[in-house]
Amino acid sequence: MPSGASIALRPDLGLAARAWPFEEARKILARVERKLAKGEKVTEVVLETGYGPSGLPHIGTFGEVARTTWVMHAFNTLSPIPTRLIAISDDMDGLRRVPDNVPNKDMMTANLGRPLTSIPDPFGTHESFGHNMNARLRAFLDNFNFDYDFRSATQEYKSGVYDNALLRVLSKYDEVMKVMLPTLGEERQQTYSPFLPVSPRSGKVLLAKVVAHDPDRGTITYLEEDGSEETVPVTGGHCKLQWKPDFGMRWAALGIDYEMYGKEHYPSAPLYNAICKISGGEPPEQFMFELFLDDKGEKISKSKGNGLTIDEWLTYAPRESLALFMFQKPRVAKRLTFDVIPKAVDDYIDLLEKYHANETSEADRIDNPVWHIHNGNPPAERYPVSFALLLTLATASNAHNQNVMWGFIKAYAPQASPEANPGLAKLVDFAIRYYEDFVRPEKKFRPATEKEHAAFLDLAAKFEAMGDARDPKAVQDVVYEVGKAHQFEPLRDWFGALYEVLFGQTAGPRFGSFAALFGVKETAVLIRRALAGEFVAAAAE
RNA sequence: GAGCCCGUAGCUCAGCGGCAGAGCAUCUGACUUUUAAUCAGAGGGUCGAUGGUUCGAUCCCAUCCGGGCUCACCA
């Protein structure tokens, strides 16, 4: 998904488009027009997306950035106002739990509670744990060519970008508390403060009881872990805000116009909005998307480790298919499991075909998901066969290599070749991998009976004597003769035995065609390996 | 408890104001030196229920029933 491609300004199309990114973009446009009507200057539109960097980027991270990017590009068709996507990392959060997948756990444990950017990097490669996680996040986003403006929360707090908004929160402390307290349990109400001081003594982000706040001096006074009082400024990175106030304050401080979030944030949105207003901002346009479910219908989360990882998806299908899956119905909770992959790939192929069809109008093109997925510039390549067909071919012929697959493909699309259809070539690899990992393990190979064994040996010998025969009919004749010679009656039992013993399935491709494509010599090898019991043994593992 | 999503053919889902659709599955036929692929065709749905808006509702609105998720401690 190359980004940065310039999006053509086409308000005529964008205003009428029905695809959801356009609906969102029109919300932003209305916001801009509202501001202009009030006499405000609008020099750019800022979209935001945020991450908790205590874990590795995951499939949801991809979805969030991709979706926000699509809205941004849709807006680019509507308005010449420049846009920017801020990707902010909450790297000032205190470390609450030592992640499972890091080394130096003792060191990490000793640093619990400190900001992620104040903890040494357990991998030893970066300035801090937070820096390392940020680097991984950026590498991940760069790998997809997203166009974004990276921000570190630590940097934002320390550099003073938030100072005005923070002082504002301090000066309206009671108002903030009035918003927050009703949402808290009784116990938490006793100790709650929107400000979390970073202890000058321990370096930890403290959930401390605040005993006094001084708007004039810009400080709060709180109880340290040992019960003594300590006073710190709220500015300059000496305090961070609790997450809900943080969300709202950040909107105000950075002038965010648009943000998406998962369903779990939805109930808190009114709070974010209230804090944003208190902090002197106007809450951004927002969009809630549904969460992904695993095969049991449960929410996918990093900690549970259920559902698909992004690497898993990209092992079996191209990224376009993943992008399409993210594009479709963001407000519906969808199952994210392996079996949705083939359909996503074929939907993509169909949509790409429709996009390029002569009868497709410009209006339809801009509504087509592939327009969004490819940032307004879908590739010209077409796919003469579907992924489902490739999977069928791989299954039917027990294919483990590209040559056999291409032999079949050319039977359907004579013009196709790995050189002319690089996308299809990748799809062939994906299909083989999918077959190897999901279909093949389900196959049930059986050993040959004595009668079959003799016939198979005969067939293998005949094949070996055929040299480089390529004529499907001639090869099929040999297969037929051998079956007759060994008195299989009806003859279909003979073919059935071939499929069951060689392919581990009860049906398959026309055997002569397969052997001709696969090579008679190679087929002979296949037969001998089957007779040696290799396939039965492999299946038993 | 509050909020959100879903309920359409056996299964998975698309459609979201104008004669009910796709893929898979099933069945029939063609082709075949096979049971695959391919091709042709068929069956199968009071579009969860009830009211309302409309010339017209699967689609919009309301209520209800059923299923699921999220939040309620922390981010």
Side-chain angles (χ1 to χ4, degrees), chain A residues 241-256:
Chain A
L241 292 189
Q242 280 273 4
W243 72 281
K244 287 176 197 174
D246 186 73
F247 231 98
M249 178 278 297
R250 184 205 287 167
W251 281 348
L254 300 176
I256 303 300

Side-chain angles (χ1 to χ4, degrees), chain A residues 115-179:
Chain A
L116 302 174
T117 42
S118 300
I119 298 174
D121 181 10
F123 299 94
T125 54
H126 289 72
E127 191 181 330
S128 74
F129 178 56
H131 284 81
N132 190 327
M133 289 296 136
N134 288 345
R136 291 180 192 227
L137 172 66
R138 297 172 72 167
F140 174 83
L141 296 177
D142 291 342
N143 182 39
F144 288 101
N145 288 318
F146 285 117
D147 188 9
Y148 63 99
D149 175 12
F150 179 80
R151 299 294 186 90
S152 146
T154 306
Q155 273 305 309
E156 303 289 86
Y157 271 103
K158 284 191 175 165
S159 69
V161 173
Y162 291 166
D163 282 357
N164 282 338
L166 289 169
L167 289 170
R168 193 137 176 165
V169 169
L170 184 63
S171 72
K172 304 205 172 184
Y173 196 91
D174 295 337
E175 216 176 307
V176 172
M177 290 299 271
K178 218 171 114 189
V179 170

Side-chain angles (χ1 to χ4, degrees), chain A residues 59 138 275 374 454-455 481 484 488 532:
Chain A
I59 203 158
R138 297 172 72 167
I275 302 292
H374 292 289
E481 276 168 27
K484 264 197 341 202
F488 282 89

Side-chain angles (χ1 to χ4, degrees), chain A residues 328-345:
Chain A
Q328 288 167 326
K329 299 199 169 207
R331 307 197 86 131
V332 174
K334 291 186 294 186
R335 278 167 207 269
L336 180 51
T337 57
F338 284 107
D339 45 344
V340 306
I341 293 178
K343 186 168 189 295
V345 176

